[in-house]
Each structure stands twice: as C-alpha cells, then as structure tokens.
C-alpha cells in the first residue's frame, strides 16, 4: 500500500510541476509520476526535507525539484524539435 501511495503523491507532485511550468498538457500520467518521484528525490537532495510531508516526500522541496526537472527536460526536448 505504501508504494501505491508514493505513486499517487508522485503523480500529484508531477502534475503540479507541469501546471506551474505550463508544460503539463504535453505530459501523460506516467511522465507525471516519473517527474514527481525523480523531482522529489532531486528537491530533497538539494533543499533537504522540510515542510509538510506525505508518503515520505517533503512536499515543498519535492515540488521545487519537480519544477526544476520539468524545465530541464523540456529545454532539452524542446531543442530537438527546432
């Protein structure tokens, strides 16, 4: 049950990051989950684990990390289309 809860929270974090950056319409649920989970690890590694947490993920650093990840990935994938 813990893994399912982590996937759900990761999807929500990824969706929030996509909505903030404006890149969320092109991301699917799998990409949201990956962005949320990887962004959570990135954000907590860079900023620590402070603020409220759910499913072992500190929400504020996780969202910031996911935003950074979405911006970096969209920058590199956006360049290949030009």
């Amino acid at each position: 049950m813990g893994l399912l809860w982590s996937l759900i929270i990761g999807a929500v974090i990824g969706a929030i990051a996509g909505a903030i950056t404006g890149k969320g319409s092109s991301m699917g649920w799998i990409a949201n989950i990956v962005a949320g989970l990887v962004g959570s690890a990135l954000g907590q590694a860079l900023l620590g684990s402070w603020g409220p947490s759910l499913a072992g993920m500190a929400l504020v650093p996780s969202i910031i990390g996911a935003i950074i990840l979405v911006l970096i990935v969209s920058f590199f994938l956006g360049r290949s289309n030009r």
Side-chain angles (χ1 to χ4, degrees):
M1 191 66 173
L3 177 64
L4 180 62
W5 187 243
S6 294
L7 292 175
I8 291 169
I9 299 301
V12 170
I13 290 171
I16 291 170
I20 290 173
T21 60
K23 310 289 185 198
S25 61
S26 62
M27 293 174 36
W29 280 103
I30 302 295
N32 280 338
I33 292 171
V34 171
L37 294 176
V38 174
S40 175
L42 176 70
Q44 289 183 35
L46 293 174
L47 303 171
S49 57
W50 49 273
S53 69
L54 284 172
M57 293 180 257
L59 295 179
V60 176
S62 296
I63 292 170
I64 294 170
I67 289 170
I68 292 169
L69 181 69
V70 167
L71 289 174
I72 290 171
V73 169
S74 66
F75 175 77
F76 285 112
L77 292 180
R79 290 285 182 188
S80 65
N81 291 336
R82 291 182 181 180

